[in-house]
mmCIF file of all heavy atoms in Angstrom:
data_model
loop_
_atom_site.group_PDB
_atom_site.id
_atom_site.type_symbol
_atom_site.label_atom_id
_atom_site.label_comp_id
_atom_site.label_asym_id
_atom_site.label_seq_id
_atom_site.Cartn_x
_atom_site.Cartn_y
_atom_site.Cartn_z
ATOM 1 N N THR T 1 0.833 -1.207 -0.038
ATOM 2 C CA THR T 1 -0.039 0.052 0.052
ATOM 3 C C THR T 1 0.789 1.207 0.022
ATOM 4 O O THR T 1 2.120 1.219 0.322
ATOM 5 C CB THR T 1 -0.937 0.022 1.198
ATOM 6 O OG1 THR T 1 -0.074 -0.035 2.421
ATOM 7 C CG2 THR T 1 -1.925 -1.181 1.199
ATOM 8 N N ASP T 2 0.295 2.381 -0.340
ATOM 9 C CA ASP T 2 1.059 3.646 -0.374
ATOM 10 C C ASP T 2 0.952 4.351 1.025
ATOM 11 O O ASP T 2 0.346 3.646 1.905
ATOM 12 C CB ASP T 2 0.481 4.505 -1.502
ATOM 13 C CG ASP T 2 -0.937 4.923 -1.381
ATOM 14 O OD1 ASP T 2 -1.485 4.854 -0.256
ATOM 15 O OD2 ASP T 2 -1.604 5.346 -2.423
ATOM 16 N N SER T 3 1.411 5.531 1.060
ATOM 17 C CA SER T 3 1.421 6.324 2.299
ATOM 18 C C SER T 3 0.001 6.535 2.874
ATOM 19 O O SER T 3 -0.160 6.863 4.095
ATOM 20 C CB SER T 3 2.195 7.519 2.271
ATOM 21 O OG SER T 3 1.561 8.423 1.220
ATOM 22 N N GLU T 4 -0.958 6.440 2.046
ATOM 23 C CA GLU T 4 -2.276 6.788 2.471
ATOM 24 C C GLU T 4 -3.159 5.410 2.701
ATOM 25 O O GLU T 4 -4.384 5.532 2.822
ATOM 26 C CB GLU T 4 -3.042 7.645 1.475
ATOM 27 C CG GLU T 4 -2.373 9.050 1.319
ATOM 28 C CD GLU T 4 -3.139 9.873 0.309
ATOM 29 O OE1 GLU T 4 -4.181 9.449 -0.357
ATOM 30 O OE2 GLU T 4 -2.721 11.090 0.131
ATOM 31 N N GLY T 5 -2.388 4.274 2.686
ATOM 32 C CA GLY T 5 -3.151 3.073 2.752
ATOM 33 C C GLY T 5 -3.849 2.443 1.748
ATOM 34 O O GLY T 5 -4.560 1.487 1.778
ATOM 35 N N ARG T 6 -3.655 3.010 0.467
ATOM 36 C CA ARG T 6 -4.390 2.503 -0.717
ATOM 37 C C ARG T 6 -3.421 1.428 -1.389
ATOM 38 O O ARG T 6 -2.230 1.576 -1.443
ATOM 39 C CB ARG T 6 -4.685 3.723 -1.736
ATOM 40 C CG ARG T 6 -5.617 4.632 -1.149
ATOM 41 C CD ARG T 6 -5.878 5.893 -2.072
ATOM 42 N NE ARG T 6 -4.619 6.652 -2.316
ATOM 43 C CZ ARG T 6 -4.508 7.725 -2.803
ATOM 44 N NH1 ARG T 6 -5.605 8.316 -3.155
ATOM 45 N NH2 ARG T 6 -3.308 8.458 -3.019
ATOM 46 N N PHE T 7 -4.031 0.490 -1.948
ATOM 47 C CA PHE T 7 -3.381 -0.600 -2.669
ATOM 48 C C PHE T 7 -2.525 0.101 -3.791
ATOM 49 O O PHE T 7 -3.125 0.853 -4.612
ATOM 50 C CB PHE T 7 -4.254 -1.673 -3.166
ATOM 51 C CG PHE T 7 -4.705 -2.583 -2.218
ATOM 52 C CD1 PHE T 7 -5.888 -2.611 -1.649
ATOM 53 C CD2 PHE T 7 -3.901 -3.469 -1.635
ATOM 54 C CE1 PHE T 7 -6.346 -3.529 -0.696
ATOM 55 C CE2 PHE T 7 -4.139 -4.462 -0.655
ATOM 56 C CZ PHE T 7 -5.558 -4.457 -0.337
ATOM 57 N N ARG T 8 -1.293 -0.304 -3.987
ATOM 58 C CA ARG T 8 -0.457 0.073 -5.108
ATOM 59 C C ARG T 8 -0.927 -0.633 -6.398
ATOM 60 O O ARG T 8 -1.453 -1.767 -6.239
ATOM 61 C CB ARG T 8 0.972 0.038 -4.896
ATOM 62 C CG ARG T 8 1.503 0.796 -3.672
ATOM 63 C CD ARG T 8 2.914 0.548 -3.329
ATOM 64 N NE ARG T 8 3.805 0.816 -4.468
ATOM 65 C CZ ARG T 8 4.922 0.189 -4.669
ATOM 66 N NH1 ARG T 8 5.347 -0.849 -3.945
ATOM 67 N NH2 ARG T 8 5.714 0.534 -5.762
ATOM 68 N N ASP T 9 -0.463 -0.170 -7.544
ATOM 69 C CA ASP T 9 -0.665 -1.014 -8.701
ATOM 70 C C ASP T 9 0.099 -2.262 -8.613
ATOM 71 O O ASP T 9 1.304 -2.439 -8.240
ATOM 72 C CB ASP T 9 -0.284 -0.147 -10.029
ATOM 73 C CG ASP T 9 -1.215 1.020 -10.299
ATOM 74 O OD1 ASP T 9 -2.416 0.824 -9.888
ATOM 75 O OD2 ASP T 9 -0.840 1.954 -10.944
ATOM 76 N N PHE T 10 -0.570 -3.357 -8.975
ATOM 77 C CA PHE T 10 -0.013 -4.679 -8.843
ATOM 78 C C PHE T 10 1.368 -4.891 -9.491
ATOM 79 O O PHE T 10 2.270 -5.424 -8.882
ATOM 80 C CB PHE T 10 -0.970 -5.765 -9.506
ATOM 81 C CG PHE T 10 -0.529 -7.149 -9.346
ATOM 82 C CD1 PHE T 10 -0.606 -7.770 -8.094
ATOM 83 C CD2 PHE T 10 -0.090 -7.933 -10.458
ATOM 84 C CE1 PHE T 10 -0.162 -9.099 -7.995
ATOM 85 C CE2 PHE T 10 0.297 -9.153 -10.268
ATOM 86 C CZ PHE T 10 0.262 -9.826 -9.001
ATOM 87 N N LEU T 11 1.546 -4.395 -10.744
ATOM 88 C CA LEU T 11 2.772 -4.498 -11.419
ATOM 89 C C LEU T 11 3.835 -3.701 -10.910
ATOM 90 O O LEU T 11 5.044 -4.053 -10.928
ATOM 91 C CB LEU T 11 2.646 -4.118 -12.997
ATOM 92 C CG LEU T 11 1.704 -5.064 -13.745
ATOM 93 C CD1 LEU T 11 1.441 -4.621 -15.089
ATOM 94 C CD2 LEU T 11 2.252 -6.554 -13.786
ATOM 95 N N ASP T 12 3.561 -2.553 -10.169
ATOM 96 C CA ASP T 12 4.633 -1.818 -9.463
ATOM 97 C C ASP T 12 5.035 -2.638 -8.261
ATOM 98 O O ASP T 12 6.270 -2.589 -7.874
ATOM 99 C CB ASP T 12 3.902 -0.490 -8.893
ATOM 100 C CG ASP T 12 3.695 0.558 -10.040
ATOM 101 O OD1 ASP T 12 4.376 0.364 -11.162
ATOM 102 O OD2 ASP T 12 2.941 1.490 -9.847
ATOM 103 N N VAL T 13 4.276 -3.353 -7.564
ATOM 104 C CA VAL T 13 4.611 -4.315 -6.557
ATOM 105 C C VAL T 13 5.645 -5.315 -7.007
ATOM 106 O O VAL T 13 6.676 -5.632 -6.472
ATOM 107 C CB VAL T 13 3.485 -4.875 -5.810
ATOM 108 C CG1 VAL T 13 3.821 -5.982 -4.762
ATOM 109 C CG2 VAL T 13 2.517 -3.807 -5.172
ATOM 110 N N LEU T 14 5.389 -5.846 -8.151
ATOM 111 C CA LEU T 14 6.123 -6.921 -8.804
ATOM 112 C C LEU T 14 7.476 -6.356 -9.254
ATOM 113 O O LEU T 14 8.510 -6.981 -9.046
ATOM 114 C CB LEU T 14 5.379 -7.644 -9.906
ATOM 115 C CG LEU T 14 4.241 -8.394 -9.452
ATOM 116 C CD1 LEU T 14 3.785 -9.389 -10.688
ATOM 117 C CD2 LEU T 14 4.458 -9.311 -8.347
ATOM 118 N N VAL T 15 7.449 -5.124 -9.792
ATOM 119 C CA VAL T 15 8.688 -4.534 -10.216
ATOM 120 C C VAL T 15 9.672 -4.306 -8.959
ATOM 121 O O VAL T 15 10.782 -4.548 -9.070
ATOM 122 C CB VAL T 15 8.440 -3.078 -10.924
ATOM 123 C CG1 VAL T 15 9.724 -2.346 -11.021
ATOM 124 C CG2 VAL T 15 7.910 -3.384 -12.247
ATOM 125 N N ASP T 16 9.047 -3.818 -7.864
ATOM 126 C CA ASP T 16 9.762 -3.612 -6.675
ATOM 127 C C ASP T 16 10.337 -4.833 -6.121
ATOM 128 O O ASP T 16 11.323 -5.015 -5.359
ATOM 129 C CB ASP T 16 8.941 -2.932 -5.626
ATOM 130 C CG ASP T 16 8.872 -1.361 -5.943
ATOM 131 O OD1 ASP T 16 9.454 -1.013 -6.930
ATOM 132 O OD2 ASP T 16 7.961 -0.808 -5.200
ATOM 133 N N LEU T 17 9.534 -6.005 -6.324
ATOM 134 C CA LEU T 17 10.007 -7.273 -5.799
ATOM 135 C C LEU T 17 11.172 -7.978 -6.630
ATOM 136 O O LEU T 17 11.877 -8.769 -6.082
ATOM 137 C CB LEU T 17 8.820 -8.191 -5.908
ATOM 138 C CG LEU T 17 8.843 -9.662 -5.392
ATOM 139 C CD1 LEU T 17 9.221 -9.659 -3.926
ATOM 140 C CD2 LEU T 17 7.619 -10.384 -5.525
ATOM 141 N N GLU T 18 11.290 -7.590 -7.766
ATOM 142 C CA GLU T 18 12.321 -8.161 -8.814
ATOM 143 C C GLU T 18 13.746 -8.225 -8.117
ATOM 144 O O GLU T 18 14.377 -9.315 -8.172
ATOM 145 C CB GLU T 18 12.323 -7.544 -10.130
ATOM 146 C CG GLU T 18 11.343 -8.037 -11.114
ATOM 147 C CD GLU T 18 11.441 -9.497 -11.341
ATOM 148 O OE1 GLU T 18 12.654 -9.908 -11.776
ATOM 149 O OE2 GLU T 18 10.687 -10.364 -10.992
ATOM 150 N N PRO T 19 14.270 -7.135 -7.562
ATOM 151 C CA PRO T 19 15.563 -7.179 -6.973
ATOM 152 C C PRO T 19 15.678 -8.288 -5.880
ATOM 153 O O PRO T 19 16.710 -8.994 -5.856
ATOM 154 C CB PRO T 19 15.849 -5.726 -6.449
ATOM 155 C CG PRO T 19 14.998 -4.889 -7.215
ATOM 156 C CD PRO T 19 13.763 -5.710 -7.500
ATOM 157 N N ALA T 20 14.710 -8.309 -5.093
ATOM 158 C CA ALA T 20 14.829 -9.278 -3.975
ATOM 159 C C ALA T 20 14.803 -10.773 -4.525
ATOM 160 O O ALA T 20 15.463 -11.647 -4.039
ATOM 161 C CB ALA T 20 13.586 -9.074 -3.076
ATOM 162 N N LEU T 21 13.927 -10.966 -5.474
ATOM 163 C CA LEU T 21 13.871 -12.314 -6.086
ATOM 164 C C LEU T 21 15.213 -12.726 -6.790
ATOM 165 O O LEU T 21 15.686 -13.822 -6.853
ATOM 166 C CB LEU T 21 12.752 -12.326 -7.307
ATOM 167 C CG LEU T 21 11.372 -12.309 -6.655
ATOM 168 C CD1 LEU T 21 10.305 -12.219 -7.784
ATOM 169 C CD2 LEU T 21 10.929 -13.388 -5.656
ATOM 170 N N GLY T 22 15.846 -11.683 -7.397
ATOM 171 C CA GLY T 22 17.132 -11.877 -7.990
ATOM 172 C C GLY T 22 18.273 -12.341 -7.086
ATOM 173 O O GLY T 22 19.153 -12.931 -7.521
ATOM 174 N N ARG T 23 18.162 -11.926 -5.871
ATOM 175 C CA ARG T 23 19.129 -12.415 -4.757
ATOM 176 C C ARG T 23 18.855 -13.774 -4.280
ATOM 177 O O ARG T 23 19.744 -14.270 -3.474
ATOM 178 C CB ARG T 23 19.094 -11.288 -3.690
ATOM 179 C CG ARG T 23 19.719 -9.952 -4.120
ATOM 180 C CD ARG T 23 19.907 -9.160 -2.979
ATOM 181 N NE ARG T 23 18.771 -8.761 -2.304
ATOM 182 C CZ ARG T 23 17.947 -7.624 -2.539
ATOM 183 N NH1 ARG T 23 18.354 -6.822 -3.452
ATOM 184 N NH2 ARG T 23 16.857 -7.392 -1.833
ATOM 185 N N MET T 24 17.699 -14.392 -4.592
ATOM 186 C CA MET T 24 17.400 -15.646 -4.026
ATOM 187 C C MET T 24 17.750 -16.794 -4.957
ATOM 188 O O MET T 24 17.960 -16.578 -6.184
ATOM 189 C CB MET T 24 15.781 -15.708 -3.892
ATOM 190 C CG MET T 24 15.154 -14.816 -2.985
ATOM 191 S SD MET T 24 13.367 -14.910 -2.751
ATOM 192 C CE MET T 24 12.906 -13.578 -1.772
ATOM 193 N N THR T 25 18.044 -17.928 -4.420
ATOM 194 C CA THR T 25 18.237 -19.122 -5.251
ATOM 195 C C THR T 25 16.805 -19.541 -5.865
ATOM 196 O O THR T 25 15.795 -19.039 -5.463
ATOM 197 C CB THR T 25 18.710 -20.465 -4.383
ATOM 198 O OG1 THR T 25 17.644 -20.734 -3.386
ATOM 199 C CG2 THR T 25 19.978 -19.993 -3.701
ATOM 200 N N GLU T 26 16.881 -20.361 -6.950
ATOM 201 C CA GLU T 26 15.681 -20.661 -7.648
ATOM 202 C C GLU T 26 14.695 -21.390 -6.576
ATOM 203 O O GLU T 26 13.500 -21.148 -6.666
ATOM 204 C CB GLU T 26 16.057 -21.658 -8.817
ATOM 205 C CG GLU T 26 14.900 -21.967 -9.625
ATOM 206 C CD GLU T 26 15.162 -22.779 -10.911
ATOM 207 O OE1 GLU T 26 16.301 -22.443 -11.537
ATOM 208 O OE2 GLU T 26 14.506 -23.595 -11.281
ATOM 209 N N LYS T 27 15.240 -22.232 -5.760
ATOM 210 C CA LYS T 27 14.437 -22.918 -4.743
ATOM 211 C C LYS T 27 13.786 -22.026 -3.892
ATOM 212 O O LYS T 27 12.673 -22.105 -3.570
ATOM 213 C CB LYS T 27 15.296 -24.043 -4.039
ATOM 214 C CG LYS T 27 14.503 -24.847 -3.074
ATOM 215 C CD LYS T 27 15.412 -25.882 -2.370
ATOM 216 C CE LYS T 27 14.656 -26.635 -1.393
ATOM 217 N NZ LYS T 27 15.522 -27.678 -0.665
ATOM 218 N N ARG T 28 14.598 -21.139 -3.328
ATOM 219 C CA ARG T 28 14.041 -20.021 -2.267
ATOM 220 C C ARG T 28 13.076 -19.223 -3.025
ATOM 221 O O ARG T 28 12.003 -18.780 -2.423
ATOM 222 C CB ARG T 28 15.344 -19.311 -1.800
ATOM 223 C CG ARG T 28 14.933 -18.036 -0.992
ATOM 224 C CD ARG T 28 14.101 -18.514 0.282
ATOM 225 N NE ARG T 28 13.799 -17.373 1.055
ATOM 226 C CZ ARG T 28 12.549 -17.086 1.734
ATOM 227 N NH1 ARG T 28 11.704 -18.125 1.747
ATOM 228 N NH2 ARG T 28 12.396 -16.140 2.316
ATOM 229 N N ARG T 29 13.297 -18.812 -4.279
ATOM 230 C CA ARG T 29 12.352 -17.869 -4.941
ATOM 231 C C ARG T 29 11.009 -18.610 -5.112
ATOM 232 O O ARG T 29 9.927 -17.923 -4.867
ATOM 233 C CB ARG T 29 12.881 -17.658 -6.398
ATOM 234 C CG ARG T 29 12.075 -16.614 -7.128
ATOM 235 C CD ARG T 29 12.623 -16.447 -8.450
ATOM 236 N NE ARG T 29 14.115 -16.071 -8.471
ATOM 237 C CZ ARG T 29 14.990 -16.780 -9.077
ATOM 238 N NH1 ARG T 29 14.674 -17.672 -9.961
ATOM 239 N NH2 ARG T 29 16.301 -16.391 -9.067
ATOM 240 N N GLY T 30 10.962 -19.811 -5.541
ATOM 241 C CA GLY T 30 9.752 -20.538 -5.660
ATOM 242 C C GLY T 30 8.948 -20.678 -4.309
ATOM 243 O O GLY T 30 7.707 -20.447 -4.338
#
């Protein structure tokens, strides 16, 4: 959610998640 508690756009959440997923092993990512 954003600073006002509203859900962010779904794809923005996934874009922000990409760096964290990139640091995980394939098993850990799944």
Side-chain angles (χ1 to χ4, degrees):
T1 56
D2 62 19
S3 59
E4 298 180 2
R6 296 175 299 194
F7 283 107
R8 299 174 63 209
D9 288 336
F10 182 72
L11 292 171
D12 288 342
V13 172
L14 294 192
V15 166
D16 288 354
L17 183 58
E18 273 301 300
L21 294 178
R23 294 190 294 269
M24 298 178 187
T25 64
E26 189 173 320
K27 180 179 179 181
R28 170 63 182 142
R29 186 184 307 126

